[in-house]
Amino acid sequence: MTLRGVLLCLCCAALASCEKGERLDPEFYTCGFERPDSSSGHPENVSFQELLVAMTDDGTPGVMMSINDPANGEWSGAAGMADLFNRYTMRPCNISRLGSTVKTFTATTIMLLQEEGKLDLDDRIADHLSGEPMDRLANADLATIRQCLQHSSGIPNYISSAQFQTASLNDLIRVWHPEDLLAYAYDKPADFEPGSDVRYSNTPYILLGMLIEHIEGKPFYQVFEEKLFAPLDLSNMRFAAEDNVPDGIVRGYVDFYSNLNVIESTYYSGWDYFTADGGLIGNPQELGRFLRALANGQVVSTASLAEMTNWRTPSEVDDSFFPIQYGLGIFRMDTPWGEAWFHSGDAIGYYACMTYFPSQSTSIAWAVNGNYGQIDEATQTRSAMERIFGTALP
């Protein structure tokens, strides 16, 4: 989720609301992998671990990473701190906020519902939903489900609203619900005619979560559990709606002034707890397992995967990042190591990214408990990813 504008406004309020950390017992962070962990015997264990240490040396509070390739299998590691106040080290099995990586789970669930004959991607989303969101969101009455998935609906992004940013500034620990967020996109002009371009927007993904709930008659995150978490044995995956700040979640930190004087922000991410554009909690090992399974045709049909990876290039290009294209709930980027399929996600104090290189059948996923300022330079910029990919890939 794009939060740059919001966070620029949050700086002063965050400092004013700075609090000491909570006293937590070490058992709070107890975790473990259910499958045997052979990371210490991995041939690249030393270089991979050095990469994580370098990221923390550059100011990242804590980092977890999971790398999986056909020749050497799984490697999982961690460095830095899960909790700066209590001085607890980060472990590979810890859980963290995964932000907008959830959009790939949302899209995958929609594809499964199409395979079950419960919807068609080319249905208008208004064929299934009605009420104020359909009446007051520009293009909501015209956009198809496919366009919502591919960010080509033109429905305005609520996060871009100055009113939303001000409301966030005034109550950092507020817990928001879908209707609260959608209201900030009501009566705003469309970004473009449906289908005429692609531009990232969180608002359609709130609608897609509502669509899943409408069709299945239960909260969308319960559908994730039934269709994705349980079948893929993603036992650490959960959704913030069921427990906003669950036991074991690592503390989040922000570098608002880009001087590495971080502020704890564990309770600042309350706007995505109940929406399908954020709110996912888990760890990199399971992010990587999900993306590999999806890419290898173990989650959706070959036809569905082909639709998800029918890429489209945006008219606006970010020259500071790898060239990217939009699929359905997933992106493609061109890197010096070949094309990568990916989705990343921010929450305030957290960042995660899952990538898959199809030509090498290799997944790389990482999560950090810090963002903004100098922390981003070590974790999510093009140069940060070049260091990660250059170490992880042959």
Side-chain angles (χ1 to χ4, degrees), residues 16-203:
S17 60
C18 182
E19 300 175 351
K20 292 185 66 176
E22 298 171 84
R23 185 67 65 187
L24 298 169
D25 294 330
E27 291 75 19
F28 179 84
Y29 294 105
T30 298
C31 66
F33 291 130
E34 295 181 357
R35 303 180 181 190
D37 182 11
S38 58
S39 299
S40 61
H42 191 285
E44 301 297 333
N45 180 53
V46 173
S47 64
F48 290 174
Q49 192 62 40
E50 287 176 347
L51 166 67
L52 304 193
V53 172
M55 293 172 71
T56 57
D57 285 346
D58 287 343
T60 308
V63 55
M64 299 172 275
M65 187 172 289
S66 178
I67 301 168
N68 188 294
D69 69 78
N72 300 305
E74 182 83 21
W75 179 87
S76 293
M81 308 299 291
D83 182 330
L84 292 171
F85 179 74
N86 292 292
R87 307 304 299 169
Y88 296 144
T89 57
M90 186 75 89
R91 301 172 60 189
C93 55
N94 283 143
I95 58 172
S96 182
R97 296 195 187 282
L98 305 176
S100 286
T101 60
V102 76
K103 290 184 173 72
T104 311
F105 292 77
T106 302
T108 303
T109 301
I110 293 287
M111 301 309 295
L112 291 173
L113 292 177
Q114 177 175 254
E115 291 177 16
E116 294 168 12
K118 296 176 179 176
L119 57 79
D120 187 291
L121 291 188
D122 294 315
D123 292 344
R124 294 181 310 142
I125 196 163
D127 293 337
H128 299 270
L129 299 179
S130 60
E132 194 170 27
M134 296 298 104
D135 296 336
R136 298 187 60 185
L137 286 173
N139 289 356
D141 59 331
L142 301 171
T144 65
I145 297 169
R146 184 191 304 276
Q147 290 165 343
C148 290
L149 289 169
Q150 200 163 27
H151 300 281
S152 64
S153 69
I155 296 174
N157 191 350
Y158 71 86
I159 283 182
S160 300
S161 160
Q163 291 80 9
F164 171 71
Q165 295 175 18
T166 300
S168 301
L169 168 68
N170 289 330
D171 192 352
L172 284 166
I173 59 172
R174 175 178 174 181
V175 174
W176 302 70
H177 288 79
E179 59 273 19
D180 305 324
L181 300 168
L182 290 174
Y184 289 100
Y186 285 166
D187 308 320
K188 304 292 185 185
D191 290 341
F192 44 76
E193 291 295 316
S196 62
D197 200 351
V198 285
R199 184 182 303 169
Y200 196 87
S201 178
N202 288 278
T203 310

Side-chain angles (χ1 to χ4, degrees), residues 304-357:
S304 292
L305 184 60
E307 294 204 81
M308 293 182 75
T309 56
N310 184 14
W311 312 111
R312 183 166 181 179
T313 303
S315 61
E316 295 180 357
V317 176
D318 179 1
D319 293 329
S320 68
F321 198 64
F322 301 111
I324 67 169
Q325 294 177 301
Y326 288 56
L328 306 186
I330 192 167
F331 296 90
R332 175 189 185 276
M333 58 180 163
D334 285 317
T335 80
W337 298 269
E339 72 169 290
W341 302 354
F342 80 105
H343 210 300
S344 59
D346 273 301
I348 302 179
Y350 302 90
Y351 172 79
C353 187
M354 57 181 179
T355 63
Y356 182 77
F357 290 77

